[in-house]
Amino acid sequence: MHKLPCLIISLLMLLPIFSSAEEGQRQGKFLGARETAYPDWFKASFMELGEDVQEAAEEGKRVMLFFHQDGCPYCNLMVERNLSQKDIQETMKAKLDVIEINMWGDREVGAVNGKTYTEKRFAEVLKVQFTPTLLFLDESGKVILRLNGYIPPNTFKTALGYVNGHKEKEGSYRNYLAANKPPKAAGKLHNEAFFLPPSHDLSRGERPLALFFEQKQCPNCDKLHKEVLTDPGIRKLISRFDAVQLDMWSDTPVTTPAGKETTAREWARELGVNFAPSVVLLDRKHGEVIRSEAVFKRFHTESILDYHLSGAFKHQPSFQRYISERAEAIREQGRDVDLWK
C-alpha cells in the first residue's frame, strides 16, 4: 500500500541529480557559419521584380535572384570563390542584374505576377530549400534556370553561358551541360618549388617580394600554374624574388614587411585584392610596385617581373610605355614577341 508513495519520494529525491546534470551539460558549438559581404555591384533594387525584369531587358540583360541567409557558408563560397574570378564577375556585371533576397527577411517583394510578399514568404512560395538558390529570369520574368545550392566556378561559368546565350530556346540545361562539360578545377592550391615555406614572416630579408594571392577551385589559378609558371624564363625571374603563396580567404598568419601581424584574408582586404589569382610585387623600400590580376600571359607576366627587377619602375612610371619599349628591344634582337602566348 505504501509502494507508490515511496516510489514517488525516491523519484523526487533523484530530481536534483538529473537537474544538476542537465544544468552542467555543455551546449554544443555551432561551427562553420560564415558571414558574407555581398558585392556593391549587385543591383540596389526597390524589390519590384516586374520593373527590374523590364529595366534589365531594355539594357540587354537578364535578372538573377540570389537567395541567401545569414551565416550561410555556401553563400560565402559563391561570393568569395566564384565571384572573385574576374571573368565571372565581368560577365555577370555585363549580362545580369543580380538581386539578393534574404530567405528569412521581412522586406516586401513585388513579384512578377503582381502579388506582394515578404522575402521569407516569397522564398516559401518559390520552394527555396537551399542557400544559395539562384533563379535566372528571362525577359518575361519566367524562370529559365534554377540552381539549388553551391556549384564550383567552372560549372557556374557553364550555367552563365546557358543563360546569357539564351540557350534555353535550343534545349534543356541538362543537355547543354552534358555537351559543354567544364574541366574540373583543382580543389587545392598548386605548390611550386619557388614558394617560401610557412611561417610567413616577411619582415625579414632584403629581396623583393612576389605575393601570389590564390584560392581553391580556381580555374584561372590552374591556368596560371599550368600555362604560365611552367615557362623557364619566368621561373628564372621569380627565383630572384621571395615568392609567397597565400590563400586569399584563409586565416593563415602573416607578418607583413612592416612587421604587422595579420592574416592572409585581412592582408588581401587591406591591399584591395579582389580577384584570384593576383600577383602583387612589393619593393621593401618603395612598397607596391605593380600587380597583375586574374588574366595572365607569358610575355606580360615576364615583363611585370622584369619591370620590378630591372628597377625600371623608378624612372618609368608607365608600365605600358615600359612594355612597349621592352617589346621593341626584343624585336631588334631578332626575336619574336607574342602578346597572346
Side-chain angles (χ1 to χ4, degrees), residues 55-235:
E55 290 173 3
E58 290 172 354
E59 297 177 2
K61 296 181 177 182
R62 288 177 154 179
V63 167
M64 185 189 98
L65 304 181
F66 188 134
F67 285 89
H68 62 87
Q69 62 179 311
D70 294 344
C72 168
Y74 298 103
C75 303
N76 186 270
L77 276 180
M78 179 61 70
V79 171
E80 295 190 352
R81 185 166 292 176
N82 291 31
L83 304 192
S84 64
Q85 298 293 288
K86 191 172 185 180
D87 50 352
I88 289 178
Q89 184 180 129
E90 289 179 344
T91 295
M92 293 181 71
K93 290 169 74 171
K95 297 292 186 179
L96 296 167
D97 281 342
V98 182
I99 300 171
E100 54 88 12
I101 299 176
N102 186 336
M103 70 173 293
W104 305 114
D106 294 313
R107 290 181 298 175
E108 287 193 345
V109 179
V112 176
N113 62 10
K115 296 182 179 180
T116 300
Y117 307 93
T118 62
E119 290 173 286
K120 58 179 173 253
R121 177 58 183 156
F122 188 48
E124 184 181 344
V125 168
L126 292 174
K127 295 181 170 53
V128 173
Q129 303 287 357
F130 306 95
T131 54
T133 289
L134 310 182
L135 301 183
F136 296 87
L137 311 183
D138 68 8
E139 291 71 15
S140 67
K142 178 184 176 183
V143 177
I144 54 172
L145 180 62
R146 178 181 184 127
L147 300 176
N148 296 319
Y150 172 75
I151 61 174
N154 271 355
T155 308
F156 186 60
K157 287 169 66 173
T158 303
L160 293 178
Y162 179 78
V163 172
N164 297 331
H166 295 229
K167 298 299 183 179
E168 78 279 359
K169 299 175 182 178
E170 301 174 12
S172 69
Y173 175 63
R174 178 187 178 89
N175 290 338
Y176 179 83
L177 185 60
N180 297 274
K181 191 173 181 181
K184 187 176 180 180
K188 59 182 180 180
L189 299 183
H190 295 264
N191 188 31
E192 299 286 357
F194 52 73
F195 286 147
L196 293 180
S199 60
H200 300 306
D201 184 353
L202 306 182
S203 64
R204 303 174 182 177
E206 299 180 355
R207 301 206 309 169
L209 289 166
L211 308 178
F212 287 74
F213 286 96
E214 303 184 44
Q215 66 179 34
K216 302 171 185 176
Q217 292 286 349
C218 173
N220 289 325
C221 299
D222 296 344
K223 185 174 182 180
L224 170 64
H225 286 269
K226 293 178 180 178
E227 299 181 14
V228 179
L229 298 184
T230 53
D231 182 83
I234 291 175
R235 296 180 76 89

Side-chain angles (χ1 to χ4, degrees), residues 231-243:
D231 182 83
I234 291 175
R235 296 180 76 89
K236 184 176 180 179
L237 288 172
I238 293 177
S239 70
R240 296 168 61 187
F241 288 84
D242 282 343

